[in-house]
Coordinates of all heavy atoms in Angstrom, one line a residue:
L571 N -31.9 -154.4 -215.1 CA -31.3 -153.3 -214.3 C -29.8 -153.4 -214.1 O -29.1 -152.4 -214.2 CB -32.0 -153.3 -212.9 CG -33.4 -152.8 -212.8 CD1 -33.9 -152.8 -211.4 CD2 -33.5 -151.4 -213.3
T572 N -29.3 -154.6 -213.8 CA -27.9 -154.7 -213.6 C -27.1 -154.6 -214.9 O -25.8 -154.6 -214.9 CB -27.5 -156.0 -212.9 OG1 -28.0 -157.1 -213.6 CG2 -28.1 -156.0 -211.5
N573 N -27.7 -154.6 -216.1 CA -27.0 -154.4 -217.3 C -26.8 -152.9 -217.6 O -26.1 -152.6 -218.6 CB -27.8 -155.0 -218.5 CG -27.6 -156.5 -218.6 OD1 -26.7 -157.0 -217.9 ND2 -28.4 -157.2 -219.4
I574 N -27.5 -152.1 -216.8 CA -27.2 -150.6 -217.0 C -25.9 -150.3 -216.4 O -25.6 -150.6 -215.3 CB -28.4 -149.8 -216.3 CG1 -29.7 -150.2 -216.9 CG2 -28.1 -148.3 -216.4 CD1 -30.9 -149.5 -216.2
P575 N -25.0 -149.6 -217.1 CA -23.7 -149.2 -216.6 C -23.8 -148.5 -215.3 O -24.5 -147.5 -215.2 CB -23.1 -148.4 -217.8 CG -23.9 -148.8 -219.0 CD -25.2 -149.1 -218.5
G576 N -23.0 -149.0 -214.4 CA -22.9 -148.3 -213.1 C -23.9 -148.8 -212.0 O -23.8 -148.4 -210.8
I577 N -24.8 -149.7 -212.4 CA -25.8 -150.2 -211.5 C -25.4 -151.6 -211.1 O -25.3 -152.5 -212.0 CB -27.2 -150.2 -212.1 CG1 -27.7 -148.7 -212.3 CG2 -28.2 -150.9 -211.1 CD1 -29.1 -148.6 -212.7
G578 N -25.3 -151.8 -209.8 CA -25.0 -153.2 -209.3 C -26.3 -153.7 -208.6 O -27.3 -153.0 -208.6
E579 N -26.2 -154.8 -207.9 CA -27.4 -155.4 -207.2 C -27.9 -154.5 -206.1 O -29.1 -154.3 -205.9 CB -27.0 -156.8 -206.6 CG -26.8 -157.8 -207.7 CD -26.8 -159.2 -207.1 OE1 -27.0 -159.3 -205.9 OE2 -26.5 -160.1 -207.9
K580 N -26.9 -153.8 -205.4 CA -27.3 -152.9 -204.3 C -28.2 -151.8 -204.7 O -29.2 -151.4 -204.2 CB -26.1 -152.5 -203.5 CG -26.4 -151.7 -202.2 CD -25.1 -151.4 -201.5 CE -25.5 -150.6 -200.2 NZ -24.2 -150.3 -199.4
T581 N -27.7 -151.1 -205.8 CA -28.4 -149.9 -206.4 C -29.7 -150.4 -207.0 O -30.8 -149.7 -206.9 CB -27.6 -149.2 -207.4 OG1 -26.3 -148.9 -206.8 CG2 -28.3 -148.0 -207.9
A582 N -29.7 -151.5 -207.7 CA -30.9 -152.1 -208.3 C -32.0 -152.4 -207.3 O -33.2 -152.0 -207.4 CB -30.6 -153.3 -209.1
T583 N -31.6 -152.9 -206.2 CA -32.5 -153.2 -205.1 C -33.1 -151.9 -204.5 O -34.3 -151.9 -204.2 CB -31.8 -154.0 -203.9 OG1 -31.3 -155.2 -204.5 CG2 -32.7 -154.4 -202.8
K584 N -32.3 -150.9 -204.4 CA -32.7 -149.6 -203.8 C -33.7 -149.0 -204.8 O -34.8 -148.5 -204.3 CB -31.5 -148.7 -203.7 CG -31.8 -147.4 -202.9 CD -30.5 -146.7 -202.8 CE -30.7 -145.4 -202.0 NZ -29.5 -144.6 -201.8
L585 N -33.5 -149.1 -206.1 CA -34.4 -148.5 -207.1 C -35.8 -149.3 -207.1 O -36.8 -148.6 -207.1 CB -33.8 -148.6 -208.5 CG -32.7 -147.6 -208.7 CD1 -31.9 -148.0 -210.0 CD2 -33.3 -146.2 -208.9
L586 N -35.7 -150.6 -207.0 CA -36.9 -151.4 -207.0 C -37.7 -151.1 -205.7 O -39.0 -151.1 -205.8 CB -36.6 -152.9 -207.2 CG -36.2 -153.3 -208.6 CD1 -35.8 -154.8 -208.6 CD2 -37.4 -153.1 -209.6
S587 N -37.0 -151.0 -204.6 CA -37.7 -150.7 -203.4 C -38.5 -149.4 -203.4 O -39.6 -149.2 -202.9 CB -36.7 -150.7 -202.2 OG -36.1 -152.0 -202.1
E588 N -37.9 -148.4 -204.1 CA -38.5 -147.1 -204.2 C -39.6 -147.0 -205.2 O -40.7 -146.4 -205.0 CB -37.4 -146.1 -204.5 CG -37.9 -144.6 -204.7 CD -38.4 -144.1 -203.3 OE1 -37.9 -144.5 -202.3 OE2 -39.2 -143.2 -203.3
F589 N -39.4 -147.6 -206.4 CA -40.3 -147.4 -207.5 C -41.2 -148.7 -207.8 O -42.2 -148.6 -208.4 CB -39.6 -147.1 -208.8 CG -38.9 -145.8 -208.7 CD1 -37.5 -145.7 -208.5 CD2 -39.6 -144.6 -208.8 CE1 -36.8 -144.5 -208.4 CE2 -38.9 -143.4 -208.7 CZ -37.5 -143.3 -208.5
G590 N -40.8 -149.8 -207.3 CA -41.7 -151.0 -207.4 C -41.5 -151.9 -208.6 O -41.7 -153.1 -208.5
S591 N -41.1 -151.3 -209.7 CA -40.9 -152.1 -211.0 C -39.9 -151.4 -211.9 O -39.7 -150.2 -211.8 CB -42.2 -152.4 -211.7 OG -42.7 -151.2 -212.2
V592 N -39.4 -152.2 -212.9 CA -38.5 -151.6 -213.9 C -39.3 -150.6 -214.7 O -38.7 -149.5 -215.1 CB -38.0 -152.7 -214.8 CG1 -37.2 -152.1 -216.0 CG2 -37.1 -153.7 -214.0
E593 N -40.6 -150.8 -215.0 CA -41.4 -149.9 -215.8 C -41.5 -148.6 -215.1 O -41.4 -147.5 -215.7 CB -42.7 -150.5 -216.1 CG -43.7 -149.6 -216.9 CD -43.2 -149.4 -218.4 OE1 -42.3 -150.2 -218.8 OE2 -43.7 -148.5 -219.0
N594 N -41.7 -148.6 -213.8 CA -41.9 -147.4 -213.0 C -40.5 -146.6 -212.9 O -40.5 -145.4 -212.9 CB -42.4 -147.7 -211.6 CG -43.8 -148.1 -211.6 OD1 -44.5 -147.9 -212.5 ND2 -44.2 -148.8 -210.5
I595 N -39.4 -147.3 -212.9 CA -38.1 -146.7 -212.9 C -37.9 -145.9 -214.3 O -37.5 -144.8 -214.3 CB -37.0 -147.7 -212.7 CG1 -37.1 -148.3 -211.3 CG2 -35.6 -147.1 -212.9 CD1 -36.2 -149.5 -211.1
R596 N -38.3 -146.6 -215.4 CA -38.2 -145.9 -216.7 C -39.0 -144.7 -216.8 O -38.6 -143.7 -217.4 CB -38.6 -146.9 -217.8 CG -38.3 -146.4 -219.2 CD -38.6 -147.4 -220.2 NE -40.0 -147.8 -220.2 CZ -40.5 -148.6 -221.2 NH1 -39.8 -149.1 -222.1 NH2 -41.8 -148.9 -221.2
K597 N -40.2 -144.7 -216.2 CA -41.1 -143.5 -216.3 C -41.0 -142.5 -215.2 O -41.8 -141.6 -215.1 CB -42.5 -144.0 -216.4 CG -42.8 -144.9 -217.6 CD -44.3 -145.4 -217.6 CE -44.6 -146.2 -218.9 NZ -46.0 -146.7 -218.9
A598 N -40.0 -142.7 -214.3 CA -39.9 -141.9 -213.0 C -39.6 -140.5 -213.4 O -38.9 -140.2 -214.4 CB -38.9 -142.5 -212.1
D599 N -40.1 -139.6 -212.5 CA -39.8 -138.2 -212.6 C -38.3 -138.0 -212.4 O -37.6 -138.6 -211.6 CB -40.6 -137.4 -211.5 CG -40.3 -135.9 -211.6 OD1 -40.8 -135.3 -212.5 OD2 -39.5 -135.5 -210.7
D600 N -37.7 -137.0 -213.2 CA -36.2 -136.8 -213.1 C -35.8 -136.5 -211.7 O -34.8 -137.0 -211.2 CB -35.8 -135.7 -214.1 CG -35.9 -136.2 -215.6 OD1 -36.1 -137.4 -215.8 OD2 -35.7 -135.4 -216.5
E601 N -36.5 -135.5 -211.1 CA -36.1 -135.1 -209.8 C -36.1 -136.2 -208.7 O -35.2 -136.3 -207.9 CB -36.9 -133.9 -209.3 CG -36.7 -132.6 -210.1 CD -35.3 -132.1 -210.0 OE1 -34.7 -132.3 -208.9 OE2 -34.8 -131.6 -211.0
K602 N -37.2 -137.0 -208.8 CA -37.3 -138.1 -207.9 C -36.2 -139.2 -208.1 O -35.6 -139.7 -207.2 CB -38.7 -138.8 -208.0 CG -39.0 -139.7 -206.9 CD -40.4 -140.2 -207.0 CE -40.8 -141.1 -205.8 NZ -42.2 -141.6 -205.9
L603 N -35.8 -139.4 -209.4 CA -34.8 -140.4 -209.7 C -33.4 -139.9 -209.2 O -32.6 -140.6 -208.7 CB -34.8 -140.6 -211.2 CG -34.0 -141.8 -211.7 CD1 -34.4 -143.1 -211.1 CD2 -34.1 -141.9 -213.2
K604 N -33.2 -138.5 -209.4 CA -31.9 -138.0 -209.0 C -31.7 -138.0 -207.5 O -30.6 -138.0 -207.0 CB -31.8 -136.5 -209.5 CG -31.5 -136.4 -211.0 CD -31.4 -134.9 -211.4 CE -31.1 -134.8 -212.9 NZ -31.0 -133.4 -213.3
N605 N -32.8 -138.1 -206.7 CA -32.7 -138.2 -205.3 C -32.2 -139.6 -204.8 O -31.8 -139.8 -203.7 CB -34.1 -137.9 -204.6 CG -34.5 -136.5 -204.7 OD1 -33.6 -135.6 -204.8 ND2 -35.8 -136.2 -204.7
I606 N -32.3 -140.5 -205.8 CA -31.9 -141.9 -205.4 C -30.5 -142.2 -205.9 O -29.8 -142.9 -205.2 CB -32.9 -142.9 -206.0 CG1 -34.4 -142.6 -205.6 CG2 -32.6 -144.4 -205.6 CD1 -34.6 -142.7 -204.1
V607 N -30.2 -141.8 -207.2 CA -28.9 -142.1 -207.8 C -28.1 -140.8 -208.1 O -28.7 -139.7 -208.2 CB -29.1 -143.0 -209.0 CG1 -29.8 -144.3 -208.7 CG2 -29.9 -142.2 -210.1
N608 N -26.8 -141.0 -208.4 CA -26.0 -139.9 -208.7 C -26.2 -139.5 -210.2 O -26.9 -140.2 -211.0 CB -24.5 -140.1 -208.4 CG -24.0 -141.4 -209.2 OD1 -24.4 -141.6 -210.3 ND2 -23.1 -142.1 -208.5
D609 N -25.6 -138.4 -210.7 CA -25.8 -137.9 -212.0 C -25.3 -138.9 -213.1 O -26.0 -139.0 -214.2 CB -25.1 -136.6 -212.2 CG -25.7 -135.5 -211.4 OD1 -26.9 -135.6 -211.0 OD2 -25.0 -134.5 -211.1
K610 N -24.3 -139.6 -212.8 CA -23.7 -140.6 -213.8 C -24.7 -141.7 -214.0 O -25.0 -142.1 -215.2 CB -22.4 -141.1 -213.3 CG -21.7 -142.0 -214.3 CD -20.3 -142.5 -213.7 CE -19.6 -143.4 -214.7 NZ -18.3 -143.9 -214.2
I611 N -25.2 -142.3 -213.0 CA -26.2 -143.4 -213.1 C -27.5 -142.9 -213.7 O -28.1 -143.6 -214.5 CB -26.4 -144.1 -211.7 CG1 -25.1 -144.7 -211.2 CG2 -27.5 -145.1 -211.8 CD1 -25.2 -145.4 -209.9
F612 N -27.9 -141.7 -213.3 CA -29.1 -141.1 -213.8 C -29.0 -141.0 -215.4 O -30.0 -141.3 -216.1 CB -29.4 -139.7 -213.2 CG -30.5 -138.9 -213.9 CD1 -31.8 -139.2 -213.7 CD2 -30.2 -137.9 -214.8 CE1 -32.8 -138.5 -214.3 CE2 -31.2 -137.2 -215.5 CZ -32.5 -137.5 -215.2
K613 N -27.9 -140.5 -215.8 CA -27.7 -140.4 -217.3 C -27.7 -141.8 -218.0 O -28.3 -141.9 -219.0 CB -26.3 -139.7 -217.5 CG -26.1 -139.4 -219.0 CD -24.8 -138.7 -219.2 CE -24.5 -138.4 -220.7 NZ -23.2 -137.8 -220.9
A614 N -27.1 -142.8 -217.3 CA -27.1 -144.1 -217.9 C -28.5 -144.7 -218.0 O -28.8 -145.4 -219.0 CB -26.2 -145.0 -217.0
I615 N -29.3 -144.4 -217.0 CA -30.7 -144.9 -217.0 C -31.5 -144.3 -218.2 O -32.2 -145.0 -218.9 CB -31.4 -144.7 -215.7 CG1 -30.8 -145.5 -214.6 CG2 -32.9 -144.9 -215.8 CD1 -31.3 -145.2 -213.2
R616 N -31.3 -143.0 -218.3 CA -32.0 -142.3 -219.4 C -31.6 -142.7 -220.8 O -32.3 -142.6 -221.7 CB -31.9 -140.7 -219.2 CG -32.6 -140.2 -218.0 CD -34.1 -140.5 -218.1 NE -34.9 -140.0 -217.0 CZ -35.8 -140.6 -216.4 NH1 -36.1 -141.9 -216.7 NH2 -36.6 -140.1 -215.4
E617 N -30.3 -143.1 -220.9 CA -29.8 -143.5 -222.2 C -30.0 -145.0 -222.5 O -29.8 -145.4 -223.6 CB -28.3 -143.2 -222.3 CG -28.0 -141.7 -222.3 CD -26.5 -141.4 -222.3 OE1 -25.7 -142.4 -222.1 OE2 -26.2 -140.2 -222.4
F618 N -30.4 -145.7 -221.5 CA -30.6 -147.2 -221.7 C -31.8 -147.5 -222.5 O -32.9 -146.9 -222.3 CB -30.6 -147.9 -220.3 CG -30.6 -149.4 -220.4 CD1 -29.4 -150.0 -220.6 CD2 -31.7 -150.1 -220.1 CE1 -29.4 -151.4 -220.7 CE2 -31.7 -151.5 -220.2 CZ -30.5 -152.2 -220.4
D619 N -31.7 -148.5 -223.4 CA -32.8 -148.9 -224.2 C -33.6 -150.0 -223.5 O -33.4 -151.2 -223.7 CB -32.3 -149.4 -225.6 CG -33.5 -149.6 -226.6 OD1 -34.6 -149.7 -226.2 OD2 -33.2 -149.6 -227.8
F620 N -34.6 -149.6 -222.7 CA -35.4 -150.6 -222.0 C -36.2 -151.5 -222.9 O -36.3 -152.7 -222.6 CB -36.3 -149.9 -221.0 CG -35.7 -149.4 -219.7 CD1 -35.1 -148.1 -219.7 CD2 -35.5 -150.2 -218.6 CE1 -34.5 -147.6 -218.5 CE2 -34.9 -149.7 -217.5 CZ -34.4 -148.4 -217.4
E621 N -36.8 -150.9 -223.9 CA -37.7 -151.7 -224.8 C -36.9 -152.8 -225.5 O -37.4 -154.0 -225.6 CB -38.3 -150.8 -225.9 CG -39.3 -149.8 -225.3 CD -40.0 -149.0 -226.4 OE1 -39.7 -149.2 -227.6 OE2 -40.9 -148.2 -226.0
Q622 N -35.7 -152.5 -226.0 CA -34.9 -153.6 -226.6 C -34.5 -154.6 -225.6 O -34.5 -155.8 -225.9 CB -33.7 -152.9 -227.3 CG -32.7 -153.9 -228.0 CD -33.4 -154.7 -229.1 OE1 -34.3 -154.1 -229.7 NE2 -33.0 -155.9 -229.4
A623 N -34.1 -154.2 -224.4 CA -33.7 -155.1 -223.3 C -34.8 -156.1 -222.9 O -34.6 -157.3 -222.7 CB -33.2 -154.4 -222.1
E624 N -36.0 -155.5 -222.8 CA -37.2 -156.4 -222.5 C -37.6 -157.3 -223.6 O -38.0 -158.5 -223.3 CB -38.4 -155.5 -222.1 CG -38.2 -154.7 -220.8 CD -39.3 -153.8 -220.5 OE1 -40.2 -153.6 -221.4 OE2 -39.3 -153.1 -219.4
K625 N -37.4 -156.9 -224.8 CA -37.7 -157.7 -226.0 C -36.7 -158.9 -226.0 O -37.1 -160.1 -226.2 CB -37.6 -156.9 -227.3 CG -37.9 -157.7 -228.5 CD -37.8 -156.9 -229.8 CE -38.1 -157.7 -231.0 NZ -38.0 -156.9 -232.3
E626 N -35.5 -158.6 -225.8 CA -34.5 -159.7 -225.7 C -34.7 -160.7 -224.6 O -34.6 -161.9 -224.7 CB -33.1 -159.1 -225.6 CG -32.6 -158.4 -226.9 CD -31.3 -157.7 -226.7 OE1 -30.8 -157.7 -225.5 OE2 -30.8 -157.0 -227.6
D627 N -35.1 -160.1 -223.4 CA -35.4 -161.0 -222.3 C -36.6 -161.9 -222.5 O -36.6 -163.0 -222.1 CB -35.6 -160.1 -221.0 CG -35.8 -160.9 -219.8 OD1 -34.8 -161.5 -219.3 OD2 -36.9 -161.0 -219.3
D628 N -37.7 -161.3 -223.2 CA -38.9 -162.1 -223.5 C -38.5 -163.3 -224.4 O -39.0 -164.4 -224.3 CB -39.9 -161.2 -224.1 CG -40.6 -160.3 -223.1 OD1 -40.5 -160.7 -221.9 OD2 -41.2 -159.3 -223.5
E629 N -37.6 -163.0 -225.4 CA -37.2 -164.1 -226.3 C -36.5 -165.2 -225.5 O -36.6 -166.4 -225.8 CB -36.4 -163.5 -227.4 CG -37.1 -162.6 -228.4 CD -36.2 -161.9 -229.4 OE1 -35.0 -162.1 -229.2 OE2 -36.7 -161.2 -230.3

Side-chain angles (χ1 to χ4, degrees):
L571 284 182
T572 56
N573 280 348
I574 300 175
I577 294 184
E579 290 192 7
K580 187 174 181 180
T581 304
T583 302
K584 189 176 180 181
L585 286 165
L586 284 175
S587 298
E588 179 67 27
F589 296 103
S591 69
V592 174
E593 181 66 18
N594 290 341
I595 294 171
R596 184 175 66 172
K597 296 178 178 180
D599 180 74
D600 288 352
E601 291 300 322
K602 192 171 183 181
L603 192 57
K604 285 181 179 180
N605 290 333
I606 305 297
V607 297
N608 58 38
D609 291 340
K610 185 178 179 181
I611 295 177
F612 171 78
K613 183 179 180 181
I615 292 174
R616 288 303 183 223
E617 293 177 352
F618 188 74
D619 191 342
F620 281 92
E621 291 184 1
Q622 180 62 28
E624 289 174 356
K625 182 178 179 182
E626 292 174 358
D627 186 70
D628 286 339
E629 290 174 354

